[in-house]
Amino acid sequence: MAKRERGVSASAGKAAELKEKLKELVKAIVDDDDYSTRDAEDAIATLSSLRDLKRASPSSFDDLSLPVPPEFRCPISTELMSDPVILATGQTYDRAYIQRWLDEGHRTCPQTQQVLSHTLLTPNYLVRDMIAQWCKEHAIEIPKPVQDINQVVSNADRDHLDSLLHKLSLSVPDQKEAARELRLLTKRMPSFRTLFVESADVIPQLLSPLSPNTARIHPELYEDLVTTILNLSIQDDNKKVFGEDPSVIALLNDALKSGTIQTRSNAAAAVFTLSALDSNKQIIGKSGAIKHLLDLLEEGQPLAMKDAASAIFSLCLVHENKGRTVREGAVRVILYKIMDQILVDELLAILALLSSHPKAIEEMGDLGAVALLLAIIREGTSERTKENCVATLYTICYSDRTKLKEVREEEKANGTLSKLARSGTSRAKRKANGILERLNRSPCLTHTA
């Protein structure tokens, strides 16, 4: 794992100035065989100044040159405690780390394994004052208490991740055990997810057990690794790194079309979370994922359809992906699902997005979308559903005036749009009134032989 950044000294500016001067002096000495003794003396003096500055400047508590007394280290994190507290067993821990332990459901002491009589944490003022005095004596910055327990990461966590990643390179049973634990840890520990961007080697190590036949031969291993990617993609700091890694996107594309239905569903969910970034929407759209998502939606597995629909909607928020989605046959798939009363709200939202594409409008007209949309407005109860219906209908009517005939007949028979213009959401009213105005301006259309 990559080492964490060290604390920056308050005298960093002075140190940088001395280093630059030392660099120039050493260069003059090395480049010139006939260097002066004055240059050598200046170099020695500058180096001495750097040494004195280092000794005088407060250093980070992470500075490994000075051993931290064991009684000042948290038994869980192994780091200098910032907010020492006493557990029911009398053991002292850093508050953030023991609180995380308790929040995970543990009711034993991590050190003694004794069952806790209660979970109250008592500040250990004596140890805190001793740590403050020790830091002062050694010119070390007193560590600040952790504010967000969910972001607590210890060296023990890093070591554990390294161990699990190593096991992924061993035998298949080891790989399965490590993948299962990674899946569980990345699900329940937000802090553990943050470790995966600390080193560029993590993603290749995580995906190392995969081969073209993994999904077929070892479906559980495959599912656990794909689900780990899903869990990691929830972390905002991971979205860009994972979205821009070709191996991750290739894995998700493969997982969308192979493996268990749970694997495919989780791959769709990972696409959805990664597509929160517009840059990732572009990358994923170009990768061919939209076709696989539509296939998953069309197959009709309840477990996977909603994840697929959510991913498609998110991807279609960028213009380029609307065209890709339409070209892959989305309009037909979506309309048939709506006709079967499946995911009506979600799919109408996608249809409303696609209605800005000319080919989508043409296909909607050919597949009977106008009558369907009018029926949903007339019979539906969801305001959001009606709003998406009339928004799509508005675009159709303005793009293809021949569809006004169906709208006129519906309006004459049931007053569907007039009712919506009076009682719908503000957007629905606006769209309904726009269609009604167009009806009033247009002559009655009749079909001719």
Side-chain angles (χ1 to χ4, degrees):
M1 275 297 221
K3 289 184 178 179
R4 292 169 292 163
E5 292 182 356
R6 305 303 182 193
V8 179
S9 168
S11 55
K14 180 64 176 176
E17 181 180 328
L18 288 171
K19 288 178 182 178
E20 190 61 34
K21 181 179 179 181
L22 181 62
K23 188 189 299 182
E24 292 173 1
L25 289 168
V26 170
K27 186 176 186 302
I29 293 170
V30 171
D31 291 348
D32 188 357
D33 292 336
D34 192 25
Y35 63 88
S36 67
T37 56
R38 178 62 182 270
D39 284 343
E41 290 169 354
D42 284 350
I44 293 170
T46 303
L47 192 58
S48 297
S49 297
L50 265 175
R51 179 198 60 197
D52 295 341
L53 184 65
K54 179 66 176 175
R55 286 176 175 172
S57 300
S59 58
S60 166
F61 70 88
D62 270 339
D63 191 342
L64 300 182
S65 64
L66 181 65
V68 177
E71 61 271 24
F72 294 167
R73 290 183 180 271
C74 173
I76 298 175
S77 70
T78 71
E79 297 168 2
L80 184 63
M81 289 186 282
S82 61
D83 188 7
V85 293
I86 304 171
L87 198 59
T89 56
Q91 307 296 319
T92 296
Y93 297 90
D94 208 352
R95 181 185 296 275
Y97 293 92
I98 191 61
Q99 188 62 61
R100 188 184 75 177
W101 170 267
L102 296 173
D103 288 348
E104 289 171 359
H106 300 289
R107 289 298 176 265
T108 57
C109 173
Q111 277 188 296
T112 67
Q113 300 304 310
Q114 286 178 263
V115 176
L116 303 175
S117 58
H118 61 79
T119 58
L120 297 177
L121 301 175
T122 305
N124 192 330
Y125 294 114
L126 176 61
V127 171
R128 188 181 68 179
D129 291 345
M130 290 171 65
I131 289 173
Q133 182 62 31
W134 181 82
C135 288
K136 182 178 179 181
E137 290 174 358
H138 295 87
I140 291 176
E141 295 175 6
I142 299 175
K144 294 181 175 62
V146 176
Q147 300 299 318
D148 186 357
I149 294 174
N150 287 330
Q151 300 305 318
V152 167
V153 178
S154 67
N155 288 332
D157 291 331
R158 291 183 173 86
D159 292 342
H160 189 41
L161 175 59
D162 286 342
S163 172
L164 292 173
L165 291 173
H166 175 66
K167 286 180 75 172
L168 289 176
S169 66
L170 304 178
S171 66
V172 171
D174 284 326
Q175 291 174 353
K176 288 183 177 180
E177 183 181 339
R180 169 57 57 162
E181 188 168 356
L182 283 167
R183 174 178 180 169
L184 295 175
L185 286 172
T186 54
K187 178 181 180 180
R188 72 170 190 249
M189 287 178 59
S191 59
F192 203 75
R193 300 175 199 146
T194 65
L195 296 173
F196 285 74
V197 291
E198 290 189 358
S199 170
D201 297 331
V202 171
I203 294 178
Q205 287 178 280
L206 180 62
L207 305 185
S208 62
L210 297 174
S211 68
N213 296 318
T214 304
R216 179 175 57 83
I217 301 174
H218 304 296
E220 301 91 351
L221 171 61
Y222 191 70
E223 180 182 315
D224 285 340
L225 290 174
V226 169
T227 307
T228 299
I229 295 291
L230 164 60
N231 295 338
L232 292 170
S233 69
I234 296 170
Q235 185 78 21
D236 286 343
D237 291 342
N238 291 340
K239 292 186 193 300
K240 183 175 175 63
V241 175
F242 279 68
E244 293 180 355
D245 192 299
S247 61
V248 172
I249 301 303
L251 169 62
L252 294 179
N253 271 318
D254 184 65
L256 285 170
K257 56 186 177 179
S258 58
T260 65
I261 192 62
Q262 184 68 63
T263 299
R264 300 174 70 195
S265 178
N266 289 350
V271 169
F272 171 69
T273 55
L274 288 175
S275 65
L277 297 183
D278 284 349
S279 58
N280 285 350
K281 290 182 178 72
Q282 300 277 7
I283 294 169
I284 295 168
K286 292 176 182 177
S287 74
I290 292 172
K291 179 185 185 307
H292 306 314
L293 289 167
L294 285 169
D295 289 343
L296 195 55
L297 178 63
E298 187 171 20
E299 286 175 25
Q301 291 281 355
L303 184 65
M305 281 194 298
K306 191 156 189 173
D307 287 322
S310 297
I312 292 167
F313 178 84
S314 181
L315 292 172
C316 286
L317 291 173
V318 296
H319 179 73
E320 294 82 355
N321 286 338
K322 292 180 185 180
R324 294 184 179 108
T325 305
V326 172
R327 287 191 293 273
E328 294 293 350
V331 173
R332 176 188 57 80
V333 173
I334 290 171
L335 284 176
Y336 286 175
K337 290 296 177 186
I338 294 173
M339 290 175 188
D340 290 337
Q341 297 295 305
I342 296 171
L343 295 179
V344 174
D345 284 353
E346 292 85 349
L347 296 181
L348 281 171
I350 299 174
L351 205 63
L353 282 177
L354 297 181
S355 66
S356 63
H357 193 280
K359 183 173 172 54
I361 292 295
E362 181 184 339
E363 291 184 17
M364 287 181 205
D366 294 342
L367 294 169
V370 173
L372 176 64
L373 295 172
L374 287 168
I376 295 173
I377 295 172
R378 182 176 67 248
E379 300 167 6
T381 57
S382 166
E383 294 300 323
R384 179 187 171 211
T385 297
K386 292 181 180 182
E387 182 180 304
N388 281 323
C389 281
V390 75
T392 305
L393 193 61
Y394 177 89
T395 308
I396 293 174
C397 291
Y398 267 72
S399 301
D400 184 357
R401 62 192 299 268
T402 65
K403 301 304 175 187
L404 287 172
K405 181 176 184 295
E406 289 180 74
V407 177
R408 190 187 301 279
E409 290 172 354
E410 172 67 26
E411 187 61 21
K412 185 176 180 180
N414 301 298
T416 301
L417 291 178
S418 296
K419 293 175 184 176
L420 187 61
R422 291 192 299 270
S423 61
T425 65
S426 58
R427 181 169 178 248
K429 289 178 181 179
R430 190 169 65 252
K431 297 296 184 180
N433 280 317
I435 297 172
L436 291 171
E437 288 172 9
R438 189 165 180 82
L439 278 178
N440 293 333
R441 290 199 307 266
S442 302
C444 292
L445 300 174
T446 57
H447 290 291
T448 56

